[in-house]
Amino acid sequence: PPLVSLTGLRKTYGDTVAVHGADLMLRAGEVHALCGHNGAGKSTVVKMLSGQESPDAGTISIAGEVVALRNRGSAQLAGIALVDQELSVVPALTVAENLFLGDRSAGWVHRPRQERARARDMLDEMGLAHVHPDQPLGSLGLGERQLVEIARAMGQRARVVILDEPTATLSDVESERVYAAVRRVAATGCSVLFVSHRLGEVLQLCDRVTVMRDGRVVTVADTAELTVQS
Ligand code: ADP
Ligand code: ADP
């Protein structure tokens, strides 16, 4: 059974039906691409799965249980983390402070030494061994900040990690580091939803792909079954 099931999701804005009864299934341990042209409904699906918009109809289940996602906080409690384009990390805080932001608002006691040690482990896992936990986050490049945000999601034990066009503004080298981190995240048993416009990275990185057009799901496929003629 899928780890995450979106069933019959529908969302209307005024006269625009942004999403018409879409189904999306994410398996544990997979990287699942969400593709489609501008206006296809991808952002709206992401907003419903991350608690930023409520569906007009349909259900979202995790591990067989229907979850009520009222806002980003309740999505986070349900184990759904969004790594967004605008990045919810705080540049003026240190790397370690950013890694534990969510924990602290959930009532964790601030213990700098332990946090720094744990931050080092988390950074190592993301291929950021060269980054110091006490560095201001703003001193890192965009790709590195993206990796810090992925590490933060993992630290909060997310079961579902959503990346909304994470490589859109990254260099090839930075993109490769994000791909490696995404593979490691999926290897822990999470479902990764990877919104992308780039066919190359979808074929290289993702296990399956759901394609939307005009608010509907038009294709679901294993990327290994897609053949691209050169
Ligand atoms: P994307 O790059 O995901 O296709 P868009 O440019 O379609 O982004 O949309 C950017 C943001 O603007 C999204 O949050 C979307 O919900 C919102 N948006 C898109 N279309 C409209 C609209 N017609 N009216 C108001 N907001 C919109
Ligand atoms: P995508 O992310 O695939 O570009 P969106 O989910 O942003 O697609 O948009 C799907 C449709 O819904 C588009 O026609 C878009 O203009 C419309 N839409 C999205 N958000 C809003 C909004 N906040 N208000 C009005 N229309 C919106």
Side-chain angles (χ1 to χ4, degrees):
L3 177 61
V4 185
S5 303
L6 311 186
T7 310
L9 279 192
R10 180 178 170 87
K11 182 72 188 177
T12 304
Y13 294 105
D15 293 337
T16 307
V17 186
V19 175
H20 296 254
D23 296 335
L24 186 67
M25 305 293 156
L26 309 180
R27 298 173 186 156
E30 80 171 347
V31 183
H32 193 115
L34 181 60
C35 299
H37 291 121
N38 275 337
K42 306 179 300 294
S43 300
T44 304
V45 167
V46 165
K47 284 179 184 171
M48 291 189 279
L49 182 58
S50 58
Q52 298 175 92
E53 293 275 15
S54 308
D56 298 334
T59 56
I60 298 176
S61 311
I62 300 188
E65 281 187 39
V66 174
V67 290
L69 307 176
R70 279 172 298 274
N71 49 46
R72 264 182 89 162
S74 68
Q76 208 174 68
L77 286 177
I80 300 167
L82 173 64
V83 175
D84 53 7
Q85 279 169 317
E86 282 90 43
L87 303 176
S88 44
V89 288
V90 184
L93 297 181
T94 68
V95 169
E97 285 167 339
N98 272 282
L99 284 171
F100 302 114
L101 263 181
D103 283 0
R104 205 160 307 145
S105 64
W108 278 67
V109 180
H110 180 41
R111 284 180 303 191
R113 191 172 302 159
Q114 284 89 335
E115 284 185 354
R116 207 173 292 129
R118 180 139 174 266
R120 280 226 170 76
D121 290 344
M122 292 163 78
L123 292 169
D124 278 353
E125 273 172 42
M126 287 297 137
L128 293 173
H130 59 286
V131 170
H132 195 281
D134 292 339
Q135 242 174 290
L137 190 86
S139 66
L140 304 186
L142 275 182
E144 291 173 331
R145 289 193 213 181
Q146 195 91 244
L147 293 170
V148 168
E149 183 141 339
I150 297 171
R152 184 160 73 112
M154 297 316 295
Q156 293 173 352
R157 300 180 195 285
R159 290 185 287 179
V160 185
V161 178
I162 307 167
L163 296 112
D164 193 356
E165 303 205 34
T167 61
T169 59
L170 302 186
S171 67
D172 288 349
V173 171
E174 289 176 321
S175 297
E176 290 294 340
R177 288 162 76 191
V178 169
Y179 303 150
V182 163
R183 291 295 348 165
R184 281 196 293 272
V185 167
T188 68
C190 288
S191 295
V192 179
L193 183 64
F194 192 94
V195 181
S196 177
H197 272 106
R198 299 187 184 170
L199 182 60
E201 70 181 12
V202 169
L203 293 175
Q204 178 195 344
L205 173 70
C206 301
D207 303 300
R208 290 198 302 151
V209 54
T210 292
V211 182
M212 296 184 69
R213 187 194 299 148
D214 297 332
R216 298 173 200 277
V217 170
V218 292
T219 304
V220 182
D222 286 342
T223 52
E225 287 168 6
L226 299 176
T227 55
V228 177
Q229 294 172 357
S230 51

